[in-house]
């Protein structure tokens, strides 16, 4: 019984020493940000909630990355690594290309080929970007995925297989979401073929 009690006490002492060591020695003392251009290092650090003095090993990387992505629209991707004993490294990738698109009210916004809304711009600035026409954004919010306004429809008649007369055609309804998805697909093809900027607009 005495030996068992001694073993338990040793385990408790080891756990206590380990916990104390983590709390004392593994604290965030330095935060280094890589790849940032649109935002300062401090802005990225603050957006992720990475504070000096906090426990390094208890840092929730996934949550911090999510907060950075949500707060900073120009950040396209982010990852966080730790370097013992006291450093947090934040690697950000910012968007390289954006496109102009309007709301029905006539406001202009920048959007990526992935459909992420970046920021609102004026009409003069919009002229410097490839313009997306034929679809409007619905209540855009920076940092969130774009939604298309569902008021524009195309009732172009399509003839079903086996039908020969116009009287037998069926109207096709193209939603705003369809238009937006098609526009984004075209933009991604422009980027994949390295011809971004050669199109003044797409419709």
């Amino acid at each position: 019984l005495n030996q068992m009690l001694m073993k338990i006490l040793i385990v408790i002492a080891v756990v206590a020493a380990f916990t104390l060591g983590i709390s004392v020695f593994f604290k965030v003392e330095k935060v280094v940000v890589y790849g940032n251009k649109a935002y300062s290092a401090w802005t990225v650090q603050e957006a992720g909630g990475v504070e000096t003095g906090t426990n390094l090993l208890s840092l929730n990387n996934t949550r911090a990355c999510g907060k950075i992505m949500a707060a900073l629209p120009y950040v396209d991707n982010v990852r966080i690594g730790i370097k013992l004993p006291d450093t947090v490294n934040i690697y950000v990738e910012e968007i390289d290309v954006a496109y102009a698109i309007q709301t029905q009210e006539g406001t202009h916004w920048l959007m990526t080929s992935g459909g992420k809304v970046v920021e609102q711009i004026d009409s003069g600035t919009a002229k410097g970007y490839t313009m997306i026409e034929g679809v409007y954004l619905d209540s855009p919010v920076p940092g969130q995925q774009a939604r298309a306004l569902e008021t524009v429809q195309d009732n172009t008649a399509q003839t079903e297989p086996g039908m020969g007369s116009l009287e037998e055609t069926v109207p096709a309804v193209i939603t705003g979401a369809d238009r937006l998805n098609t526009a984004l697909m075209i933009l991604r093809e422009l980027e994949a073929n390295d011809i971004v900027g050669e199109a003044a607009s797409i419709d």
Side-chain angles (χ1 to χ4, degrees):
L1 182 61
N2 290 337
Q3 289 181 347
M4 183 177 297
L5 182 60
M6 182 63 66
K7 289 180 179 179
I8 293 175
L9 291 176
I10 291 175
V11 171
I12 294 176
V14 170
V15 172
F18 180 75
T19 303
L20 180 62
I22 289 177
S23 62
V24 172
F25 297 106
F26 297 106
K27 290 185 177 181
V28 178
E29 298 294 340
K30 184 167 57 175
V31 179
V32 184
V33 180
Y34 300 91
N36 57 307
K37 296 178 182 178
Y39 305 105
S40 67
W42 169 248
T43 300
V44 175
Q45 176 184 343
E46 188 176 35
V50 182
E51 300 179 358
T52 57
T54 58
N55 190 286
L56 186 67
L57 300 182
S58 64
L59 179 66
N60 190 323
N61 292 359
T62 302
R63 179 180 298 176
C65 289
K67 292 171 67 175
I68 292 172
M69 291 284 291
L72 308 178
Y74 275 98
V75 175
D76 192 43
N77 189 32
V78 59
R79 60 187 178 87
I80 296 177
I82 61 174
K83 182 179 180 180
L84 296 177
D86 60 3
T87 303
V88 174
N89 295 318
I90 304 177
Y91 304 89
V92 299
E93 296 177 17
E94 298 177 348
I95 63 169
D96 295 322
V97 183
Y99 307 88
I101 188 170
Q102 287 182 281
T103 64
Q104 195 173 42
E105 293 75 25
T107 59
H108 291 79
W109 293 78
L110 289 182
M111 182 181 67
T112 69
S113 61
K116 181 181 180 180
V117 178
V118 180
E119 68 172 331
Q120 185 175 353
I121 57 175
D122 56 48
S123 58
T125 303
K127 294 179 180 179
Y129 295 86
T130 298
M131 177 66 69
I132 303 170
E133 300 177 349
V135 61
Y136 296 103
L137 291 187
D138 181 15
S139 304
V141 178
Q144 296 187 8
Q145 285 297 112
R147 294 184 306 169
L149 192 66
E150 294 294 353
T151 59
V152 182
Q153 295 183 344
D154 184 1
N155 293 325
T156 304
Q158 294 183 344
T159 304
E160 289 190 347
M163 294 184 177
S165 65
L166 291 177
E167 290 75 19
E168 297 173 316
T169 59
V170 178
V173 177
I174 301 175
T175 66
D178 292 331
R179 292 172 178 267
L180 181 59
N181 289 336
T182 301
L184 295 177
M185 180 182 67
I186 294 173
L187 297 179
R188 289 192 290 270
E189 288 299 321
L190 292 178
E191 294 175 2
N193 289 277
D194 198 24
I195 52 177
V196 175
E198 296 185 24
S201 65
I202 65 168
D203 191 335

